[in-house]
Amino acid sequence: MIRRAMALAAAGLAVEQGGTALAETPFLDGTVSGNVTAVSNYISRGFSNSDDHPALQGILDYTHSSGLYVGTFASNVDFDDNNNATVEWDVWGGYGFTWRGVALRADALWYYYPGVGRDMANKFNTLELEAAAEYVIAGATVSLGISYSPNYFFNSGDSVYYNAGISIPLFDAFALEGHVGHQDVQHNAIFGTPDYNDWSLGIAALWRGFKLGLYYIDTDLARDECFAGKDWCQARAVVTVGYAF
């Protein structure tokens, strides 16, 4: 539920995807990229999607020379319920290009939870439309994005998620990474939270295809505003270790 905000295709991963920059391999007039990442807690848009437990995640992405791309993401999840939602499997497709130094992309993303029963599938499986822009200025990479769903999780109506991120090279192979986001949901009572803000700040290190990250993540939600008293929305530190291939 509430998956990570995606960075530009073939440009990198946000913290909720493990934070590992993608490798690229030529294939059929395009490139294949991917990674495998272990995280101490699967956080997406400020929430724990693994009930504060570790998660193992993977991404595979194919980008054609025309700018068209498709990809998939998978992770174990735990929502502390009886709906058998133990795996999140996302698929997406879209188009990206560069205009005056700005990398732009738009895609459609489908969240799929194969373990839930047929009667719960329409509450978990969700479509989102995404658009994002990324620009390098003074060595720092700045990104802006927006995601829209016509019927968000649990049939909570229209939703819009706005997000911005920055990655600043420090020294050697280290970088400072920050993120802010805002989530609007049409029917807050059905979804389980009011509209809210989330943010993260961390440091990452790259070495021979590996990426180690340490992040502080939080929201402005009180515990009693978080899914009837869950502690998924509170401040926490997250460690990520990934390898790109």
Side-chain angles (χ1 to χ4, degrees):
M1 184 175 65
I2 322 170
R3 192 198 56 124
R4 72 279 174 267
M6 288 180 57
L8 295 181
L13 300 179
V15 55
E16 296 84 348
Q17 284 181 310
T20 303
L22 295 172
E24 295 186 354
T25 302
F27 179 73
L28 295 179
D29 199 25
T31 56
V32 175
S33 54
N35 78 4
V36 176
T37 302
V39 298
S40 62
N41 197 341
Y42 176 17
I43 305 293
S44 179
R45 302 184 185 178
F47 296 166
S48 174
N49 284 195
S50 57
D51 196 24
D52 290 324
H53 298 135
L56 182 63
Q57 305 174 338
I59 277 189
L60 188 63
D61 197 35
Y62 171 71
T63 303
H64 189 262
S65 59
S66 66
L68 294 171
Y69 60 87
V70 294
T72 186
F73 164 85
S75 176
N76 58 288
V77 295
D78 184 354
F79 299 130
D80 192 28
D81 57 19
N82 296 317
N83 294 310
N84 295 317
T86 58
V87 174
E88 175 188 332
W89 179 21
D90 305 337
V91 293
W92 60 81
Y95 178 71
F97 64 97
T98 300
W99 179 75
R100 296 188 177 182
V102 181
L104 302 166
R105 61 100 175 164
D107 60 50
L109 166 72
W110 180 248
Y111 299 82
Y112 177 55
Y113 298 85
V116 302
R118 183 175 298 178
D119 57 334
M120 292 296 295
N122 68 333
K123 294 185 178 181
F124 277 83
N125 302 335
T126 303
L127 173 70
E128 270 196 331
L129 305 177
E130 302 181 322
E134 189 174 83
Y135 185 68
V136 178
I137 180 171
T141 302
V142 179
S143 62
L144 297 173
I146 184 171
S147 301
Y148 167 75
S149 174
N151 190 20
Y152 205 45
F153 291 99
F154 310 120
N155 295 326
S156 55
D158 292 346
S159 81
V160 182
Y161 182 69
Y162 309 90
N163 65 91
I166 188 169
S167 178
I168 304 172
L170 297 177
F171 51 89
D172 294 332
F174 289 86
L176 182 68
E177 299 181 348
H179 160 91
V180 292
H182 176 77
Q183 178 73 67
D184 283 330
V185 181
Q186 182 178 9
H187 302 300
N188 298 103
I190 295 175
F191 178 64
T193 76
D195 296 342
Y196 69 94
N197 301 304
D198 73 280
W199 55 87
S200 68
L201 183 66
I203 190 167
L206 291 168
W207 180 76
R208 295 186 179 181
F210 287 92
K211 184 173 182 180
L212 174 65
L214 175 62
Y215 302 90
Y216 171 85
I217 304 174
D218 199 2
T219 74
D220 61 356
L221 291 169
R223 181 162 180 169
D224 61 1
E225 296 176 312
C226 180
F227 301 105
K230 296 285 188 182
D231 62 356
W232 297 341
C233 314
Q234 308 308 301
R236 67 205 69 215
V238 175
V239 176
T240 71
V241 181
Y243 179 73
F245 57 87

